Amino acid sequence: MAKPYSTGHIGAVASNFTEMRLAGAVKQRLVELACEEIQRFVPEMESATLAQDPERKTLDDPYRTRLNYNRTRELMIDQIKGVESVGSAAVQAGIAQVEKYLSKIVYHAEVAAEKDRVATIKPRHLEIAVAGMNITSENEDEEMPTAVPTEDFVISQGGGILTESSLLSLAKTHAKMPVTKDAVEELIETYYLVIEKLEADIRSNTQFGGNPVHFIESITKMQTLMSLGWMRAMLTKAAENARERGYKKIDVDQIVHLDPFA
C-alpha cells in the first residue's frame, strides 16, 4: 500500500490556493480528501484508457493530449546553467507553461480565422496571432517592437478611460475576486480584437448594403463594448470559471477559454 500524502506537503500545496493559514486538523482532512479523490478518479481514468486502447499497459490521460514529459524535460535541461538537473515538479510546471502559451497562440489564430470567415487556421492567421502577441524569432535581424505597458492601453468610457488599475477595480466589483495582470492584459487584447471584428462587420454592411438587422445588431454590440458591458460579462464568466475550479484569482487561463463573441 502506498503511503498517503504528508500533512506538511498537502498544506504546502493547498497554500497556493489561499492566503489564509490552515489548521493542523484541516491539513489532515485535506490529506484524506485528496486520497479519496485519487480513489475516485483513477478507476475512471483506467477504464477510459483501456476503452481507447485495450492493449495498453500504462495509465494515460484519455481526456486530453499533453506535451511529452521526457521530451519537455530534455528541452528544459538544455536551457539550465546554474543548476544540475530538472525535477519532476519543474517539468510539470514547464508543461503547464508551454500548454498555456500554445493555448493563447491558437486562440488568437482562431479569432483571426473567424474574421476571415473560414473554418481552418492557416499560416497567415498564425502569423497574425504571433505578431499580435509580440513574438519574434531569435534568428530575425529586425528589432522587436517595444511592448506598450498595459497601463497605457485605454478604453473609451464616456467621459473617462479604463486602464489596468481601473479594470482591476472593476474585477473586484463585478467578479468579486482579484484578477492577475496577465489576465488583464489578455482581456484588453481580446477587447480590441472584438472591436476590430465589429468595425469590419459594420463597414462591410455599410459599403455593400448588408442585412440591416445584422447592422443594427453590430451597432448594439459596439455600444455594449463601449459601455463596458462586454468587459463586465467577461469578468463575471471568468470568475464563475475560477470558482468552479477552486481558484482564488482570475488568471489568464479563465480568459483565453471564454468565447468573446458569445
Side-chain angles (χ1 to χ4, degrees):
M1 290 289 292
K3 292 182 179 179
Y5 300 108
S6 71
T7 54
H9 178 63
I10 285 293
V13 173
S15 66
N16 292 312
F17 312 127
T18 179
E19 296 179 357
M20 302 180 73
R21 292 179 64 254
L22 299 174
V26 170
K27 294 177 184 178
Q28 181 58 48
R29 181 55 181 152
L30 287 175
V31 169
E32 296 169 359
L33 291 170
C35 292
E36 288 173 5
E37 178 63 8
I38 288 178
Q39 292 170 10
R40 182 195 66 78
F41 78 79
V42 170
E44 292 181 359
M45 184 179 286
E46 182 180 34
S47 297
T49 297
L50 294 175
Q52 287 188 355
D53 182 3
E55 303 299 321
R56 193 171 184 85
K57 302 300 181 184
T58 303
L59 187 67
D60 197 10
D61 182 355
Y63 309 110
R64 178 179 175 186
T65 300
R66 305 301 301 265
L67 286 177
N68 181 274
Y69 181 94
N70 289 329
R71 182 60 54 82
T72 303
R73 179 175 178 274
E74 291 168 3
L75 290 167
M76 293 177 69
I77 287 174
D78 286 345
Q79 302 304 316
I80 61 175
K81 296 178 181 179
V83 296
E84 296 180 356
S85 62
V86 175
S88 175
V91 177
Q92 292 171 9
I95 288 173
Q97 173 65 29
V98 176
E99 287 181 348
K100 182 170 72 172
Y101 172 77
L102 289 175
S103 73
K104 290 183 65 175
I105 293 177
V106 172
Y107 168 75
H108 288 298
E110 183 181 53
V111 171
E114 287 178 346
K115 289 179 68 175
D116 279 353
R117 302 186 185 280
V118 297
T120 301
I121 294 176
K122 299 182 179 182
R124 67 175 181 273
H125 303 134
L126 187 59
E127 290 307 313
I128 291 172
V130 169
M133 293 173 64
N134 214 22
I135 302 170
T136 188
S137 169
E138 291 181 358
N139 299 324
E140 292 179 358
D141 294 330
E142 67 258 21
E143 292 184 4
M144 226 173 114
T146 304
V148 180
T150 306
E151 190 68 31
D152 290 343
F153 282 110
V154 294
I155 301 172
S156 175
Q157 184 185 228
I161 59 174
L162 180 68
T163 61
E164 177 185 320
S165 58
S166 56
L167 183 52
L168 290 170
S169 176
L170 189 69
K172 291 180 181 179
T173 303
H174 294 277
K176 308 299 184 184
M177 65 166 51
V179 56
T180 66
K181 287 192 175 183
D182 285 343
V184 168
E185 291 178 1
E186 187 66 27
L187 266 174
I188 292 176
E189 288 178 13
T190 305
Y191 177 91
Y192 282 114
L193 284 172
V194 174
I195 282 185
E196 287 175 8
K197 185 178 186 305
L198 280 175
E199 286 178 343
D201 287 347
I202 293 171
R203 192 177 301 112
S204 176
N205 274 275
T206 302
Q207 292 176 345
F208 303 108
N211 188 332
V213 174
H214 183 71
F215 175 75
I216 293 171
E217 288 178 350
S218 296
I219 292 294
T220 302
K221 289 179 181 177
M222 183 64 79
Q223 289 174 338
T224 301
L225 279 166
M226 301 312 290
S227 66
L228 301 182
W230 177 91
M231 192 70 74
R232 288 192 288 268
M234 288 284 285
L235 285 167
T236 301
K237 292 175 184 176
E240 291 173 356
N241 190 317
R243 291 190 185 94
E244 287 176 0
R245 297 172 182 272
Y247 300 150
K248 300 295 183 183
K249 293 181 179 180
I250 296 173
D251 204 349
V252 68
D253 282 348
Q254 281 74 61
I255 304 300
V256 297
H257 291 110
L258 291 177
D259 180 3
F261 300 101

